[in-house]
Amino acid sequence: MANEKKPNRVGVFICHCGTNIAGVIPVEKVVEYAKTLPNVVHAENYTYMCSTPGQEKIRNAIKEQNLEAVVVAACSPRLHEPTFRKASAAGGLNPFVFEMANIREQSTWIHMNEPERATEKAKDIIRMSVARASMLEPLESKSIPVEKAVMVIGAGVAGIQAALETADSGITTYLVERDPSIGGNMSRLDKTFPTLDCSQCILTPKMVDVERHPNIKLMTYSEVEKVDGYIGNFTVTVKRKPRGVIVSGDNECNGCGDCAAVCPVTKGNEFDLGLGPRKAIYVPFPQAVPLKYTIDFDSCIKCDLCVKKCGDKKSINLEDKGELVEVKVGTIIVATGFDLYEIEKKEEWGYGVYDNVITGLQFERLIGASGPTGGKVIRPSDGQKPHNIAFVLCAGSRDQDANPYCSRVCCMYSLKHAHQIMEKVPGTVPYIFYMDIRAFGKAYEEFYYRIQDEGAKFIRGRVAYIEENPANKNLIVHAEDTLLGTPISLDAELVVLASAIVPKAETEPLRNKLTISRSPDKFLLEAHPKLNPFSTSTDGIFLAGCCQGPKDIPDTVAQAAGAAAAAQIPINQGKVSLEPIAAKVNDDLCSGCGVCGSLCPYKAITLNEIGEGHRRADVNDAMCKGCGTCGAACPSKAITMQHFKSDQIRAQIAALFTPVGGV
Amino acid sequence: MSTTPKMKSSFFLGCIAPNRYPGIEVATIKTAKNLGLELVELKGAGCCPAPGAFGSMDLLTWEALAARNVCLSEQMGLNCSVVCNGCYKSLYDVNEKLKENPEEKDKVNKILKLADMEFQGSIEVRHVAEQLYNDVGIKKIRDSVVQPLNGIKVGIHYGCHLLKPGRDRKFTNPEAFGTETPRFLDEMVEALGAKSIDYKDKTMCCGAGGGVRGYKIDFALDMTNEKLRNMQAVGVDCIVDVCPFCHLQFDKGQAEIAEKFGDKYNIPVLHYGQLLGLAQGMSPDELGLEAHVIKVDSLLDKIV
Amino acid sequence: MALESQVLNLNKGLVNFTHEVEKNGGENISVCYQCGTCTGSCPMGRRNALRTRKIMRMVALGLKDDLLKSDEIWYCATCYTCTDRCPRHVKPTDVILALRNMATKQHLAPKNFLANAGYIYQSGHAVPNNDANRALRVKLGLTKDPPTTHMYPEYLPGIQKILDATGLMKIKAEMEAKK
């Protein structure tokens, strides 16, 4: 396509950036060089281009010199491209005829010991930017409307908090939870550190608020099946799993429990981590929200006893096949939480082989009054009370053979467990085997002091291996007391492994449906580890809670509120502006071969039928990230990448290899 | 892709088996043959050299001597089979290291040149016990039994260098060859009609390695004594090992322990090859059992 | 008389000792976080003065001289349980072998180790054949000597050249001369 457009009149502004640039290269000389470049009609320098006077200079020069494009030679575009685009716009130019030449990160910072070569490189970079700027074209940002609804995936304390925040703001919030009840892992806890609040007591009010909230559409026993769309316009297909029980409307289950009483099938209760039973028709725990029964069709034998018992209420439907529901939302918050690492893989500690080795979460269920033993901590092998308990910290954490990271909460909850057992069963001795005690939060170190004061025993040594005494099923814990420098053994009647926390297994398929990334440690990847831990790099999708990394309840709730605030912004603005750096299909040249669509990593290209078996590629501007894959692959050269057109890039490359200009 | 034959290897003997317990040598060759695994004579081998007793002094010399032994098998175009955990560590570890690290290989080859040899990295090193489990298979082992072992109680001693460190081993079935609860020898012993009995600290070292038997024999024997005590507590009829050095430590060691510490056990010690030989109908004399320090008569009475 | 200072002055530690140990097989020693899993696993540590973790600590502090002169580094049976279980992938066994190698260069290895080198030099085997065993071999239908360097002594010079080339036999000779 012949482009007979005249090259732009380019203005070049070279920043000193204090001494970051000017301390290495002679900026005035580079300005003189810039003046000799083709199409440059104006060049100047200033100490801080990003400052208000600096931006003034751009605005003034545009007007006075009739500039048609601006080049700022300074720092990285990641820092100030938006600043200078706005400045150019303020001067009357389209913000996309602006080009940034990074002569700081890419020259003076990294070659600071070779000023002559840094100067030549800066000249090269500026020359290339000028060549490109002379060919840039104005582009218009599009806006798309935003669906006024939010979806929160996962209803543990993170999801609950986020949903309450968006709902309180007046936004319709779909809260999707795969378990029969909301509450997540926090509802399994007995007490929370360091205040020793009863976990259920502080969580249940929020759970009830969720159930009652007019703006929250609660979808329990449901999973996300499919996600289409983009920020402002997500279409999520939610699978309502077959519950077998009617949860709303006519014949709604009233939670009376008559059905469970007659059900002949008993299984391990997942909520109690297998320590207690439930029926095939069940409620996971007494404070469940919603308080509706659920049938586990994998174990239901369809004997009909429950149906008969339910009688006229007719709340049970054994033929329930579930259903797919399509929901349109503007933004999504992922709050899928954590599971414990499969600690049986660390064979040296005998979990799953020795009866009296349990995990920290199992200990919570035992010591909680609403748990399977009514609050009695007893040994699985004989139901007896243990007179001493070994707590094994860093079990599967900080371990190159398991999870290299620290799971953050286990030091604190093990201190809590030690306190609880000493309080509940005076005389029981807790032995805490640790490498470090990480008591980082508010009142956490004081809590550590308290537990030491109350008499817990601390051994600084990672547990090397555990044996079982076959006669009484006691455990023999082997470690080194590193502070004494002596190998030690301890006869323990119960061992509690503070197992590492890992993201829930279902997070992996879910994140692929959402096209969000994960970090090497398998937790979901935040947009920025310091400045934006509650967003992802996928616009419109946010993160809350342990799915993003191990954290305690205060940090979870804070992050959830942050995610909720961020998720509301596009909805409150009502529209989302799309950067026009996207692929554009020339309908005349497109042959409908589909190569682009098959390669697009963002699922942004669809092939539309235009009659008689012909197809044409259609790029969704909102989902396109301008990566260029389609443009490079198109065999008909029908796709141009806006703002990165082939001739613009060629001009840059040519400018590099054919130096022009003097000085 | 390996061009070396699968069921035929050169047989690296080491030192203790041929020079102190030749019954292990005979048993291994004959029982392997019965199972279709041909172990061919390897000429000119020497000490592996002992990874602890020798490697402690100089690792480069250790690598060079081990590589020389591997070269002998390379020259035959055959994989190299060992019958000893110590030899396994020397030959397998050095073979893998030189294959993966060209710089180290060059360093060693400069020394090997003096012996007119050059390490190629063309073969694999295997332990016969592992070959029996993986290449022959439990079913075939079970089918070769003509004298089932009548449920005798066996205390299996896995030894150390075959399995550890797990990170440096590439067995195709890590569950059976795990370092905390290995099962492959238990299966191989039970396939013969014997019963493998678990005992306290089953995976513990015998104590002989690292040169400790030579330098501080009391430390080594104290460890062996602990293992014997644990095995006796569960009433084993015999100990079965896959390493002639562990074998020596348990066999001769019981006499040394009786003398030094006064503890007497009288538990017969067999290398797996010898147990397999008994199950395949070979006579105790054929298997060199008469030469053991701890007499095996009590055990043989239980089998017939 | 004044009392001797009990203070360990850290400046006397060799700053780059961890690198030296890492180069000689003791990989990852710098990331040891002193958890004690090694000592907790060590069967020798339960019955003698071997404290594996403490040796790692001394390496980290660069206390080379104290380590090479110590007796404890020779107590390890190289069972590799510590290396197998170390959560930071330190190889304490190989650290100890590296220390033993350095000690040998300084003529500090116990004599029985050097004796093994002597046997291999003479016969190719650290545990050479003997007449009682030869009789047993023949009885079992084997050759009286195994087909190793015993039966094929022409392979022995190659072994001797290797042992001479790396300097080990020189160390042995020097140690014996000193007696």
Side-chain angles (χ1 to χ4, degrees), chain C residues 6-169:
Chain C
Q6 297 300 304
V7 177
L8 170 64
N9 181 272
L10 289 184
N11 298 89
K12 82 172 198 188
L14 291 170
V15 167
N16 290 319
F17 190 49
T18 48
H19 299 165
E20 195 183 340
V21 167
E22 279 179 347
K23 277 210 303 268
N24 286 290
E27 280 137 33
N28 295 326
I29 181 61
S30 17
V31 298
C32 165
Y33 54 21
Q34 290 284 296
C35 68
T37 301
C38 47
T39 308
S41 301
C42 180
M44 280 298 183
R46 318 205 268 268
R47 50 188 34 88
N48 60 29
L50 177 58
R51 298 286 176 268
T52 317
R53 177 199 52 84
K54 190 160 171 205
I55 293 179
M56 302 306 120
R57 182 70 189 139
M58 291 171 72
V59 170
L61 290 175
L63 304 174
K64 180 175 181 178
D65 205 46
D66 294 323
L67 282 167
L68 299 197
K69 291 199 171 99
S70 73
D71 206 28
E72 286 82 1
I73 62 172
W74 302 97
Y75 295 176
C76 167
T78 68
C79 78
Y80 277 95
T81 307
C82 54
T83 305
D84 189 55
R85 287 193 182 142
C86 175
R88 280 262 164 129
H89 287 191
V90 179
K91 299 165 147 188
T93 320
D94 295 306
V95 168
I96 289 173
L97 287 172
L99 294 172
R100 288 181 179 182
N101 274 209
M102 293 177 198
T104 303
K105 286 190 176 60
Q106 292 190 9
H107 296 193
L108 292 168
K111 327 191 273 290
N112 63 291
F113 287 88
L114 277 314
N116 284 328
Y119 293 133
I120 296 178
Y121 197 85
Q122 281 160 15
S123 70
H125 285 277
V127 182
N129 209 352
N130 61 34
D131 286 334
N133 193 65
R134 286 189 183 93
L136 177 57
R137 286 186 66 88
V138 168
K139 198 159 169 225
L140 290 171
L142 295 165
T143 53
K144 71 171 167 42
D145 278 316
T148 61
T149 46
H150 278 325
M151 208 155 90
Y152 300 101
E154 59 267 32
Y155 285 89
L156 194 49
I159 293 177
Q160 290 170 340
K161 291 202 182 84
I162 291 172
L163 280 166
D164 281 325
T166 57
L168 191 54
M169 298 314 286

Side-chain angles (χ1 to χ4, degrees), chain B residues 57-169:
Chain B
M57 292 186 288
D58 187 65
L59 289 168
L60 182 59
T61 318
W62 171 72
E63 280 178 22
L65 287 175
R68 189 201 75 91
N69 286 320
V70 173
C71 285
L72 292 171
S73 192
E74 282 183 350
Q75 285 165 5
M76 294 176 77
L78 293 174
N79 285 342
C80 183
S81 291
V82 305
V83 77
C84 165
N85 289 355
C87 301
Y88 186 74
K89 177 170 173 66
S90 290
L91 301 190
Y92 178 84
D93 277 359
V94 173
N95 195 34
E96 291 300 301
K97 183 171 185 186
L98 299 189
K99 276 182 185 182
E100 283 165 16
N101 188 334
E103 226 181 273
E104 196 71 17
K105 183 169 118 172
D106 286 341
K107 217 164 144 194
V108 168
N109 271 335
K110 269 201 195 65
I111 302 172
L112 283 181
K113 208 153 171 220
L114 301 166
D116 288 321
M117 297 231 189
E118 190 187 340
F119 176 86
Q120 307 284 340
S122 55
I123 60 151
E124 306 293 329
V125 172
R126 309 283 298 278
H127 191 299
V128 172
E130 179 259 314
Q131 280 178 289
L132 291 179
Y133 185 84
N134 280 320
D135 295 347
V136 172
I138 290 289
K139 183 170 183 315
K140 253 186 150 168
I141 294 173
R142 197 181 300 126
D143 289 344
S144 77
V145 173
V146 304
Q147 171 63 69
L149 296 179
N150 215 14
I152 50 163
K153 301 207 283 252
V154 173
I156 292 177
H157 174 77
Y158 275 89
C160 296
H161 299 113
L162 173 58
L163 300 172
K164 285 178 283 191
R167 226 165 285 135
D168 292 343
R169 297 285 175 267

